[in-house]
């Protein structure tokens, strides 16, 4: 009588292992810091410590930027929104 129970346990263990593996393989946010920084640089903004990540839905999930100099165009809100849209569109 133990043999059928062993088979079920092995099947449950395999199912659990597969579920855990799939959970662990979720997409981590993609680092798009360089892309965001490049967009700002092209528009004359001098930055430090740009950190941006793209979530699994394709939108900017996190954004942190230290603006050193804005140049001719203000960072908020125009360039932030434009660079956000560019990064999201190209990713």
């Amino acid at each position: 009588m133990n043999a059928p129970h062993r088979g079920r346990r092995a099947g449950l263990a395999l199912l659990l292992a597969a579920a855990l593996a799939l959970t662990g393989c979720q997409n981590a946010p993609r680092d798009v810091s360089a892309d965001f920084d490049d967009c700002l640089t092209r528009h004359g903004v001098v930055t430090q410590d740009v950190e941006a990540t793209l979530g699994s839905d394709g939108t900017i999930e996190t954004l942190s930027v230290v603006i050193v100099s804005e140049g001719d165009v203000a960072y908020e809100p125009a360039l932030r929104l434009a660079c956000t849209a560019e990064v999201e569109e190209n990713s």
Side-chain angles (χ1 to χ4, degrees), residues 31-37 40 47-54 59-67 75-77 79-85 87-88:
D31 186 349
V32 290
S33 302
D35 298 337
F36 199 87
D37 189 39
L40 293 175
T47 62
Q48 286 181 327
D49 303 324
V50 175
E51 293 181 29
T53 58
L54 202 63
T59 61
I60 298 254
E61 188 171 90
T62 62
L63 177 61
S64 174
V65 181
V66 175
I67 304 296
Y75 170 73
E76 282 291 348
L79 282 181
R80 179 182 51 81
L81 292 173
C83 290
T84 296
V87 168
E88 291 174 349

Side-chain angles (χ1 to χ4, degrees), residues 11-28:
L12 286 173
L14 183 60
L15 183 61
L16 182 59
L20 289 173
L22 289 174
T23 303
C25 292
Q26 290 178 350
N27 291 338

